[in-house]
Amino acid sequence: MKYMVAVLQFLGTNCEYDVCYALEKIQEHYNIQYSLVWFKEQELPKNTSLVIIPGGFSYGDYLRSGAIARFAPIMKAVVSFAQKGGKVLGICNGFQILVESGLLPGALMLNHSHKFISTLSSLKVISHNNSFLRSYNEQNDIHLPIAHGQGCYFIDHENLKKMYDNEQILLTYNKNLNGSIDAIAGICNIQKNVFGLMPHPERAIEKELGSTDGLAMLRDIVC
């Protein structure tokens, strides 16, 4: 049986085809398939093993990034899937949607600079005790692009300590451009089956793009 990846599409999503292109490169060596899933669908494809919520500007980022998309019909199925242990990956706007949906803790706010940031970022692996970064070692450096205006991660100090205790902090920025607390770039839920990150692994899959670290990360997540 093939490993099925469901890639969601919302009004305003703009990275779904980049994700699919990356998955096609992984398909060359692994037995996977993917399906684009429109936000109005009520169910995920049968035998879905992983849901990816790509980046973009769902609903134009009106109100708050991800705040409207979390009410889309497909998100009820995604929440149910995650609560049953299914793997979910949220990239950039997908991360914001996961936070707004309550699948991940904390909040994503306006960058401290009040400016949109688009650059290649250097990241550090903080925890690999999960199914997303299992082939990495702690303190490994990864280079992935960031492109966001509301990527400043915040959570209160009491819950931040709990996240460290539970190894939910997965990635941090080596240079904290958006002002995130503790330079956090990626986190998971306490069950470690939902992963959200602001950087874009699907944009770092070929040398011409400046890094292939994203392809390695996605291969680790999918396979």
Side-chain angles (χ1 to χ4, degrees):
M1 182 181 297
K2 289 191 175 183
Y3 188 99
M4 169 60 75
V5 183
V7 181
L8 304 194
Q9 287 182 301
F10 295 90
L11 295 171
T13 302
N14 63 13
C15 296
E16 67 270 47
Y17 294 108
D18 294 335
V19 168
C20 292
Y21 179 72
L23 292 174
E24 287 171 4
K25 293 183 76 68
I26 297 171
Q27 274 181 333
E28 296 173 6
H29 304 285
Y30 297 95
N31 190 29
I32 69 167
Q33 67 183 84
Y34 66 84
S35 177
L36 285 168
V37 181
W38 189 233
F39 73 102
K40 289 187 177 181
E41 295 293 330
Q42 301 282 343
E43 298 179 353
L44 295 167
K46 291 183 178 180
N47 302 317
T48 293
S49 299
L50 170 68
V51 174
I52 298 180
I53 309 179
F57 304 91
S58 58
Y59 293 90
D61 277 352
Y62 294 114
L63 187 59
R64 277 189 320 276
S65 297
I68 302 176
R70 62 88 84 220
F71 291 105
I74 193 59
M75 286 308 299
K76 185 175 181 179
V78 173
V79 170
S80 176
F81 176 77
Q83 290 175 342
K84 294 175 182 176
K87 286 176 64 175
V88 180
L89 171 66
I91 302 169
C92 197
N93 188 227
F95 183 10
Q96 295 162 339
I97 293 169
L98 291 176
V99 169
E100 291 288 342
S101 301
L103 289 175
L104 290 174
L108 287 154
M109 307 186 302
L110 192 67
N111 297 340
H112 275 198
S113 65
H114 289 198
K115 295 179 180 178
F116 188 91
I117 302 171
S118 180
T119 188
L120 186 66
S121 65
S122 175
L123 308 161
K124 193 171 296 295
V125 175
I126 303 302
S127 176
H128 61 104
N129 184 25
N130 53 78
S131 63
F132 299 99
L133 303 176
R134 61 191 182 280
S135 70
Y136 290 87
N137 295 316
E138 291 182 11
Q139 304 304 306
N140 276 165
D141 284 327
I142 301 172
H143 296 88
L144 300 177
I146 55 173
H148 56 252
Q150 297 181 38
C152 175
Y153 182 77
F154 177 79
I155 194 166
D156 65 90
H157 288 285
E158 181 180 351
N159 283 304
L160 179 64
K161 182 181 183 304
K162 291 179 181 178
M163 290 179 70
Y164 276 112
D165 290 343
N166 296 324
E167 296 189 75
Q168 292 176 252
I169 311 299
L170 303 194
L171 296 169
T172 59
Y173 300 105
N174 287 323
K175 186 176 181 180
N176 191 5
L177 296 176
N178 59 25
S180 293
I181 189 168
D182 280 19
I184 291 171
I187 65 171
C188 69
N189 62 342
I190 193 169
Q191 293 82 12
K192 297 182 173 59
N193 64 303
V194 179
F195 176 28
L197 73 164
M198 288 309 298
H200 288 265
E202 79 285 2
R203 296 184 184 178
I205 59 171
E206 294 173 334
K207 290 181 180 179
E208 291 81 0
L209 299 175
S211 172
T212 59
D213 290 349
L215 186 62
M217 178 181 286
L218 288 170
R219 188 183 295 120
D220 210 45
I221 292 170
V222 171
C223 307

Short mmCIF file of all heavy atoms in Angstrom, two decimals, residues 175-212:
data_model
loop_
_atom_site.label_atom_id
_atom_site.label_comp_id
_atom_site.label_asym_id
_atom_site.label_seq_id
_atom_site.Cartn_x
_atom_site.Cartn_y
_atom_site.Cartn_z
N LYS A 175 19.46 33.05 14.08
CA LYS A 175 19.30 34.51 14.13
C LYS A 175 17.82 34.81 14.17
O LYS A 175 17.09 34.54 13.21
CB LYS A 175 19.96 35.17 12.91
CG LYS A 175 19.97 36.69 12.98
CD LYS A 175 20.72 37.29 11.80
CE LYS A 175 20.76 38.81 11.90
NZ LYS A 175 21.49 39.41 10.74
N ASN A 176 17.38 35.36 15.28
CA ASN A 176 15.94 35.53 15.54
C ASN A 176 15.40 36.79 14.88
O ASN A 176 15.26 37.84 15.51
CB ASN A 176 15.70 35.56 17.05
CG ASN A 176 14.23 35.47 17.42
OD1 ASN A 176 13.38 35.29 16.57
ND2 ASN A 176 13.94 35.61 18.69
N LEU A 177 15.07 36.69 13.60
CA LEU A 177 14.66 37.86 12.84
C LEU A 177 13.24 38.33 13.15
O LEU A 177 12.92 39.50 12.96
CB LEU A 177 14.79 37.57 11.34
CG LEU A 177 16.20 37.31 10.80
CD1 LEU A 177 16.13 36.94 9.32
CD2 LEU A 177 17.09 38.52 11.02
N ASN A 178 12.37 37.43 13.57
CA ASN A 178 10.97 37.83 13.77
C ASN A 178 10.60 38.09 15.23
O ASN A 178 9.48 38.50 15.53
CB ASN A 178 10.01 36.80 13.17
CG ASN A 178 10.18 35.41 13.76
OD1 ASN A 178 10.65 35.26 14.89
ND2 ASN A 178 9.80 34.38 13.00
N GLY A 179 11.54 37.85 16.16
CA GLY A 179 11.28 38.15 17.56
C GLY A 179 10.59 37.05 18.34
O GLY A 179 10.10 37.29 19.45
N SER A 180 10.55 35.84 17.81
CA SER A 180 9.89 34.73 18.50
C SER A 180 10.51 34.49 19.87
O SER A 180 11.72 34.62 20.05
CB SER A 180 10.00 33.44 17.68
OG SER A 180 9.27 33.53 16.48
N ILE A 181 9.67 34.14 20.83
CA ILE A 181 10.18 33.80 22.15
C ILE A 181 11.16 32.64 22.04
O ILE A 181 10.88 31.64 21.36
CB ILE A 181 9.02 33.47 23.13
CG1 ILE A 181 9.53 33.34 24.56
CG2 ILE A 181 8.25 32.22 22.69
CD1 ILE A 181 8.42 33.31 25.60
N ASP A 182 12.33 32.78 22.67
CA ASP A 182 13.39 31.77 22.61
C ASP A 182 13.77 31.41 21.18
O ASP A 182 14.29 30.31 20.93
CB ASP A 182 12.98 30.51 23.38
CG ASP A 182 13.17 30.65 24.88
OD1 ASP A 182 13.27 31.79 25.36
OD2 ASP A 182 13.23 29.63 25.57
N ALA A 183 13.50 32.31 20.23
CA ALA A 183 13.85 32.12 18.82
C ALA A 183 13.21 30.85 18.24
O ALA A 183 13.77 30.21 17.34
CB ALA A 183 15.37 32.07 18.64
N ILE A 184 12.02 30.50 18.70
CA ILE A 184 11.36 29.26 18.27
C ILE A 184 10.89 29.36 16.82
O ILE A 184 10.21 30.30 16.43
CB ILE A 184 10.19 28.92 19.21
CG1 ILE A 184 10.74 28.51 20.59
CG2 ILE A 184 9.32 27.82 18.63
CD1 ILE A 184 9.67 28.36 21.65
N ALA A 185 11.24 28.33 16.04
CA ALA A 185 10.86 28.28 14.62
C ALA A 185 9.91 27.13 14.32
O ALA A 185 9.19 27.17 13.31
CB ALA A 185 12.10 28.13 13.75
N GLY A 186 9.90 26.09 15.16
CA GLY A 186 9.04 24.93 14.92
C GLY A 186 8.76 24.17 16.19
O GLY A 186 9.65 24.02 17.04
N ILE A 187 7.53 23.70 16.33
CA ILE A 187 7.11 22.98 17.53
C ILE A 187 6.24 21.79 17.15
O ILE A 187 5.77 21.68 16.02
CB ILE A 187 6.30 23.89 18.50
CG1 ILE A 187 4.98 24.32 17.84
CG2 ILE A 187 7.11 25.10 18.93
CD1 ILE A 187 4.01 25.02 18.78
N CYS A 188 6.02 20.90 18.11
CA CYS A 188 5.06 19.82 17.92
C CYS A 188 4.11 19.78 19.11
O CYS A 188 4.32 20.46 20.12
CB CYS A 188 5.77 18.47 17.75
SG CYS A 188 6.60 17.85 19.22
N ASN A 189 3.07 18.98 19.00
CA ASN A 189 2.14 18.81 20.11
C ASN A 189 2.73 17.81 21.10
O ASN A 189 3.76 17.19 20.86
CB ASN A 189 0.76 18.36 19.62
CG ASN A 189 0.81 17.01 18.90
OD1 ASN A 189 1.86 16.54 18.48
ND2 ASN A 189 -0.35 16.38 18.75
N ILE A 190 2.07 17.65 22.23
CA ILE A 190 2.61 16.78 23.28
C ILE A 190 2.65 15.32 22.83
O ILE A 190 3.52 14.55 23.26
CB ILE A 190 1.81 16.94 24.60
CG1 ILE A 190 2.56 16.30 25.76
CG2 ILE A 190 0.39 16.40 24.45
CD1 ILE A 190 1.97 16.64 27.12
N GLN A 191 1.74 14.92 21.94
CA GLN A 191 1.72 13.55 21.43
C GLN A 191 2.75 13.34 20.31
O GLN A 191 2.99 12.21 19.88
CB GLN A 191 0.33 13.19 20.91
CG GLN A 191 -0.74 13.11 21.97
CD GLN A 191 -1.31 14.48 22.34
OE1 GLN A 191 -1.06 15.47 21.65
NE2 GLN A 191 -2.09 14.53 23.41
N LYS A 192 3.32 14.44 19.82
CA LYS A 192 4.39 14.43 18.81
C LYS A 192 3.94 13.88 17.45
O LYS A 192 4.74 13.29 16.71
CB LYS A 192 5.61 13.65 19.32
CG LYS A 192 6.26 14.30 20.55
CD LYS A 192 7.49 13.55 20.99
CE LYS A 192 8.22 14.31 22.10
NZ LYS A 192 7.39 14.56 23.30
N ASN A 193 2.69 14.12 17.11
CA ASN A 193 2.22 13.73 15.78
C ASN A 193 1.77 14.93 14.94
O ASN A 193 1.37 14.77 13.79
CB ASN A 193 1.05 12.72 15.87
CG ASN A 193 -0.18 13.31 16.53
OD1 ASN A 193 -0.12 13.78 17.67
ND2 ASN A 193 -1.31 13.28 15.83
N VAL A 194 1.85 16.14 15.51
CA VAL A 194 1.51 17.38 14.79
C VAL A 194 2.72 18.31 14.88
O VAL A 194 3.19 18.62 15.97
CB VAL A 194 0.27 18.06 15.38
CG1 VAL A 194 -0.04 19.35 14.61
CG2 VAL A 194 -0.93 17.12 15.34
N PHE A 195 3.21 18.74 13.73
CA PHE A 195 4.43 19.56 13.64
C PHE A 195 4.12 20.81 12.85
O PHE A 195 3.61 20.74 11.73
CB PHE A 195 5.53 18.72 12.97
CG PHE A 195 6.82 19.43 12.70
CD1 PHE A 195 7.27 20.50 13.48
CD2 PHE A 195 7.65 18.99 11.67
CE1 PHE A 195 8.48 21.12 13.23
CE2 PHE A 195 8.87 19.59 11.41
CZ PHE A 195 9.29 20.66 12.19
N GLY A 196 4.45 21.96 13.41
CA GLY A 196 4.30 23.23 12.71
C GLY A 196 5.61 23.98 12.70
O GLY A 196 6.31 24.04 13.72
N LEU A 197 5.95 24.56 11.55
CA LEU A 197 7.16 25.37 11.46
C LEU A 197 6.92 26.53 10.51
O LEU A 197 6.16 26.42 9.55
CB LEU A 197 8.35 24.54 11.00
CG LEU A 197 8.46 24.08 9.54
CD1 LEU A 197 9.89 23.62 9.24
CD2 LEU A 197 7.48 22.97 9.20
N MET A 198 7.56 27.67 10.77
CA MET A 198 7.43 28.82 9.90
C MET A 198 8.30 28.71 8.65
O MET A 198 7.89 29.14 7.57
CB MET A 198 7.75 30.11 10.66
CG MET A 198 6.68 30.53 11.66
SD MET A 198 5.00 30.60 10.97
CE MET A 198 5.16 31.87 9.72
N PRO A 199 9.53 28.17 8.72
CA PRO A 199 10.34 28.03 7.50
C PRO A 199 9.70 27.08 6.48
O PRO A 199 8.87 26.24 6.83
CB PRO A 199 11.66 27.46 8.03
CG PRO A 199 11.70 27.85 9.47
CD PRO A 199 10.27 27.79 9.92
N HIS A 200 10.14 27.21 5.23
CA HIS A 200 9.57 26.46 4.11
C HIS A 200 10.51 25.36 3.61
O HIS A 200 11.38 25.63 2.77
CB HIS A 200 9.28 27.40 2.95
CG HIS A 200 8.13 28.32 3.14
ND1 HIS A 200 6.87 28.03 2.70
CD2 HIS A 200 8.05 29.53 3.75
CE1 HIS A 200 6.05 29.03 3.01
NE2 HIS A 200 6.75 29.95 3.66
N PRO A 201 10.37 24.12 4.05
CA PRO A 201 11.22 23.05 3.51
C PRO A 201 11.00 22.79 2.03
O PRO A 201 11.93 22.40 1.32
CB PRO A 201 10.84 21.83 4.36
CG PRO A 201 9.49 22.14 4.92
CD PRO A 201 9.47 23.62 5.11
N GLU A 202 9.76 23.03 1.54
CA GLU A 202 9.46 22.74 0.13
C GLU A 202 10.16 23.73 -0.82
O GLU A 202 10.18 23.51 -2.03
CB GLU A 202 7.95 22.76 -0.10
CG GLU A 202 7.30 24.12 -0.23
CD GLU A 202 7.14 24.88 1.07
OE1 GLU A 202 7.57 24.37 2.12
OE2 GLU A 202 6.57 25.99 1.05
N ARG A 203 10.73 24.79 -0.27
CA ARG A 203 11.45 25.76 -1.08
C ARG A 203 12.97 25.56 -1.00
O ARG A 203 13.73 26.41 -1.44
CB ARG A 203 11.10 27.19 -0.64
CG ARG A 203 9.65 27.56 -0.86
CD ARG A 203 9.38 29.01 -0.49
NE ARG A 203 7.97 29.34 -0.62
CZ ARG A 203 7.46 30.54 -0.33
NH1 ARG A 203 8.26 31.50 0.10
NH2 ARG A 203 6.16 30.76 -0.46
N ALA A 204 13.38 24.46 -0.41
CA ALA A 204 14.82 24.16 -0.29
C ALA A 204 15.05 22.71 -0.70
O ALA A 204 15.42 21.87 0.11
CB ALA A 204 15.29 24.41 1.14
N ILE A 205 14.80 22.44 -1.98
CA ILE A 205 14.88 21.05 -2.45
C ILE A 205 15.86 20.86 -3.59
O ILE A 205 16.05 19.75 -4.06
CB ILE A 205 13.48 20.55 -2.87
CG1 ILE A 205 12.90 21.41 -3.99
CG2 ILE A 205 12.53 20.51 -1.68
CD1 ILE A 205 11.64 20.86 -4.59
N GLU A 206 16.49 21.95 -4.04
CA GLU A 206 17.45 21.87 -5.13
C GLU A 206 18.60 22.84 -4.87
O GLU A 206 18.38 23.90 -4.27
CB GLU A 206 16.79 22.19 -6.48
CG GLU A 206 15.75 21.14 -6.89
CD GLU A 206 14.97 21.54 -8.13
OE1 GLU A 206 14.86 22.76 -8.39
OE2 GLU A 206 14.48 20.65 -8.83
N LYS A 207 19.79 22.51 -5.32
CA LYS A 207 20.96 23.36 -5.07
C LYS A 207 20.77 24.76 -5.63
O LYS A 207 21.25 25.74 -5.06
CB LYS A 207 22.20 22.71 -5.69
CG LYS A 207 22.66 21.44 -4.98
CD LYS A 207 23.90 20.86 -5.62
CE LYS A 207 24.34 19.59 -4.90
NZ LYS A 207 25.55 18.98 -5.53
N GLU A 208 20.04 24.84 -6.74
CA GLU A 208 19.81 26.15 -7.36
C GLU A 208 19.01 27.08 -6.46
O GLU A 208 19.04 28.29 -6.63
CB GLU A 208 19.08 25.99 -8.70
CG GLU A 208 19.91 25.33 -9.79
CD GLU A 208 19.95 23.82 -9.69
OE1 GLU A 208 19.34 23.25 -8.75
OE2 GLU A 208 20.60 23.19 -10.54
N LEU A 209 18.29 26.50 -5.50
CA LEU A 209 17.48 27.30 -4.57
C LEU A 209 18.27 27.69 -3.32
O LEU A 209 17.74 28.36 -2.45
CB LEU A 209 16.24 26.50 -4.16
CG LEU A 209 15.28 26.13 -5.29
CD1 LEU A 209 14.15 25.25 -4.78
CD2 LEU A 209 14.71 27.40 -5.95
N GLY A 210 19.53 27.28 -3.25
CA GLY A 210 20.37 27.68 -2.12
C GLY A 210 20.53 26.65 -1.04
O GLY A 210 21.39 26.77 -0.18
N SER A 211 19.70 25.61 -1.05
CA SER A 211 19.77 24.56 -0.03
C SER A 211 18.94 23.36 -0.47
O SER A 211 17.91 23.53 -1.13
CB SER A 211 19.25 25.08 1.31
OG SER A 211 19.14 24.04 2.26
N THR A 212 19.37 22.17 -0.09
CA THR A 212 18.57 20.96 -0.30
C THR A 212 18.12 20.38 1.05
O THR A 212 17.64 19.25 1.10
CB THR A 212 19.38 19.90 -1.07
OG1 THR A 212 20.58 19.58 -0.33
CG2 THR A 212 19.74 20.39 -2.46
#
